[in-house]
Amino acid sequence: MERYPLIADHGLIGDLQTAALVSDEGVVDWFAAPRFDSPGIFSALLDHDRGGWFRLAPDALEVTVRQLYYPDTAVLVTRFMCPDGVGELMDWMPPDRTGRARDEHTLMRVVRCMRGSVTFALECRPRFDFGRAGHELTLDDRTAVFRAPGITAFLRSDFPLERDGEHDVRGVVRLTAGESAGAAFRVAGPDAVAEGLPDAREVEEELWRTVDFWQDWVRTARYAGRWPDMVHRSAITLKLLTYLPTGAPIAAATLGLPEQVGGVRNWDYRYTWIRDGSLSVRALLDLGFVEEAAAFTAWLTERVAERSSAPMAGTRPLQIMYRVDGDPWLPEEVLDHFEGYRGSAPVRVGNAAVDQVQLDIYGEALYALAQGQGLDTQPTYRGWRAVSAMLDWLAEAWDNPDEGVWETRAGAQDFTYSRVMSWVAFDRGLRLAEEFGRPARRESWRGARDAIFEQVMRHGWSERRRALVQHYGSDVLDASLLLIPRVGFLAPTDPAWLSTLDAIDAHLVSDSLVYRYDPSASPDGLRGEEGTFSLCTFLHVDALARAGRVRQARFAFEKMLTYANHVGLFAEEIGPSGEQLGNFPQAFTHLSLIMAATTLDDAIDRLPVRRVHR
């Protein structure tokens, strides 16, 4: 077992309330419960010695491994080619079908011998509350009970179990062709009992119920383009990262995975960003997943309404992020006892960026709410009052400096992207007011929208770069501006936009991969460097396709797909040697893949057909 496998050497499983990572060595080295944002139970990916893990793999020195997903599902299959036979491990979590928040969540693991004979070893080493809470272990032949303050975990296995030290268990079983053995690890409340844990037959039945759930869901997708496997995998990943009881998507399943190995850019992404969730609405609608898009817009409307109904002096209408249940409290702390992934410290829990002023989120929020026209819904009276109040607030606030889309910690600036998205907020607000005949301060909103446009084109433009730049008074380029043609601020073939696109191509693109910005030219308040940003690479493809540069866009898209891991997942960034960096898998990357694929499909379909002369 490697101390720290590559970030990319993992697959994701989940039950729509929480999720786990399984390495290609058969190790669950990340699992938090009962929610995405709960303390880790298996956190070996952040500290091998203190984090805890759950390993189920052949007890052999020479093993060749292959990992895949069962087709169109979130059931992960790890195949082991051993000297004496071939074994197979299937990992999954039964998906939530209730829509209610639950304390009980189960990791299902089944091993089979497909050919010859294979000896499998099981090691279960939970470490509750990121290893800060001790636990007591009680054990009989097939069931282990781990009790920690506030939480209980049960392990039932077909393996004969024995103690491994004072607090852990292990087991070994030898299987021949056609034989299988299962294990179920369930977390529950502090007073839970072991009754109801699945036996081998029930585990098998639950496997096929889970397969049916995912395949039935994917079958409703209306994507008929050129990249169905990658688009469907991205859609499944987005759903896995969405908290079903509220419809709120998290940014990533993990915390603390570095943007530079050994560096300090290690954040907790297990929360719902207004920006990420809002852009996911369009991606979901493009695939026909109306229910999921509607759930998030309802969650978003509630966030807008809750502060407008009880305003406090000095409060903003929205935070940039929330917990999945809408809780705005996300204090940041450091896990000093964790060494971090390959020494990448500090390991942070919570996110101090929650208090930042990022004015672009109001544009993204209205961009999402305006998609309601595609949901055949009208704004409610309460919802519209809240949106209207938010835009009235923005009419007074849009011309202030903010911290910007990338959550830099170097102070406020007049960020061009923030102004562009403020323009989007007023533009979509005016469209909604007109579409549904709602009362609004139209003259105020229209005046703000027009003033923003003029200001951006005057002060956000650099004559030296011949491009729109990161913030006023600078020559620094910023890939967030690749969203400009998608949101309609400029036409995709406007000369000013094409010149900006050329500048981004020249200075931020490396072999089709795109950097967010150049930290050396625009210090962001943090030490170290980062890789190319996978979201920006897909936004670049989208912008190229809209600009008519279809050949370049398609080649860049195809090359970007080669950086996906072995099961089609992407982290946040790509490092200098093609390695995946940052929290994993990243929802923003997968939703932008869907956006780029659908835009590129449309652009290719519109190309004129050339006659072939024989």
Side-chain angles (χ1 to χ4, degrees), residues 239-568:
K239 190 167 180 67
L240 279 172
L241 296 176
T242 299
Y243 186 64
L244 183 64
T246 63
I250 59 171
T254 57
L255 66 90
L257 295 183
E259 297 176 17
Q260 178 187 28
V261 174
V264 301
R265 299 167 185 256
N266 318 310
W267 315 110
D268 189 350
Y269 276 7
R270 302 171 302 152
Y271 309 113
T272 301
W273 268 254
I274 297 296
R275 178 183 307 114
D276 303 37
S278 296
L279 291 176
S280 73
V281 171
R282 184 68 264 162
L284 291 167
L285 287 176
D286 286 343
L287 300 183
F289 295 125
V290 173
E291 183 178 335
E292 287 78 9
F296 175 73
T297 56
W299 181 92
L300 175 59
T301 301
E302 189 61 31
R303 302 288 76 74
V304 175
E306 63 191 4
R307 289 195 178 183
S308 66
S309 61
M312 296 174 59
T315 61
R316 300 183 297 276
L318 283 174
Q319 289 186 175
I320 68 169
M321 71 182 90
Y322 298 82
R323 294 188 184 274
V324 290
D325 59 358
D327 185 348
W329 182 243
L330 284 78
E332 184 173 293
E333 63 174 314
V334 172
L335 301 180
D336 289 320
H337 62 294
F338 271 8
E339 71 172 355
Y341 176 83
R342 300 191 178 191
S344 303
V347 177
R348 299 177 179 90
V349 178
N351 202 308
V354 68
D355 295 322
Q356 289 191 354
V357 177
Q358 297 178 17
L359 295 174
D360 65 282
I361 65 172
Y362 300 100
E364 283 124 7
L366 264 294
Y367 183 79
L369 295 176
Q371 309 303 320
Q373 297 174 65
L375 300 171
D376 295 324
T377 59
Q378 294 189 25
T380 64
Y381 173 69
R382 178 172 178 261
W384 179 253
R385 284 192 63 188
V387 168
S388 181
M390 182 176 74
L391 288 174
D392 290 341
W393 175 88
L394 187 61
E396 302 296 326
W398 68 264
D399 201 19
N400 293 320
D402 71 341
E403 276 91 357
V405 59
W406 303 127
E407 296 167 13
T408 61
R409 303 192 178 190
Q413 296 279 0
D414 292 311
F415 283 101
T416 304
Y417 178 76
S418 297
R419 297 296 202 277
V420 168
M421 294 311 293
S422 294
W423 177 93
V424 171
F426 293 116
D427 182 71
R428 298 313 194 269
L430 287 164
R431 293 189 196 186
L432 286 171
E434 185 66 27
E435 175 76 16
F436 296 110
R438 294 295 189 261
R441 296 181 181 177
R442 286 176 171 81
E443 290 306 313
S444 172
W445 298 0
R446 189 174 293 111
R449 182 192 64 181
D450 296 348
I452 293 169
F453 185 85
E454 289 291 341
Q455 187 190 87
V456 167
M457 298 310 296
R458 288 173 182 268
H459 300 291
W461 178 264
S462 166
E463 281 296 329
R464 176 174 172 269
R465 290 289 195 189
R466 300 298 299 166
L468 291 166
V469 290
Q470 184 181 69
H471 58 80
Y472 297 173
S474 79
D475 290 324
V476 176
L477 297 167
D478 194 306
S480 64
L481 298 175
L482 288 165
L483 273 167
I484 279 178
R486 173 172 274 272
V487 300
F489 185 83
L490 291 175
T493 55
D494 186 297
W497 170 246
L498 292 178
S499 182
T500 300
L501 185 57
D502 288 339
I504 290 173
D505 279 347
H507 297 284
L508 294 183
V509 179
S510 173
D511 189 30
S512 82
L513 300 175
V514 183
Y515 290 95
R516 295 189 292 182
Y517 54 90
D518 181 359
S520 65
S522 178
D524 55 15
L526 297 165
R527 301 192 312 274
E529 300 177 352
E530 61 179 20
T532 57
F533 216 67
S534 297
L535 159 73
C536 297
T537 301
F538 286 122
L539 293 183
H540 185 231
V541 170
D542 188 276
L544 289 170
R546 290 174 185 273
R549 302 175 181 181
V550 180
R551 180 179 293 173
Q552 182 185 355
R554 184 169 187 176
F555 190 39
F557 185 75
E558 295 282 6
K559 286 203 290 185
M560 183 58 186
L561 295 186
T562 68
Y563 290 100
N565 81 341
H566 57 290
V567 291

Side-chain angles (χ1 to χ4, degrees), residues 102-114:
R102 297 179 292 112
D103 288 334
E104 187 177 288
H105 303 273
T106 305
L107 293 168
M108 300 283 202
R109 317 197 73 187
V110 171
V111 289
R112 310 167 188 269
C113 181
M114 313 306 293

Side-chain angles (χ1 to χ4, degrees), residues 12 62 68 79 133 179 213 259 284 301 351 372 437 454 511 598:
L12 177 74
E62 297 181 10
L68 68 154
R79 291 174 53 78
E179 293 181 331
F213 171 90
E259 297 176 17
L284 291 167
T301 301
N351 202 308
E454 289 291 341
D511 189 30
T598 53

Side-chain angles (χ1 to χ4, degrees), residues 595-614:
M595 291 163 58
T598 53
T599 298
L600 189 53
D601 275 319
D602 290 344
I604 294 171
D605 290 343
R606 290 195 302 270
L607 289 174
V609 177
R610 296 183 179 87
R611 291 187 177 182
V612 178
H613 299 283
R614 297 179 183 274

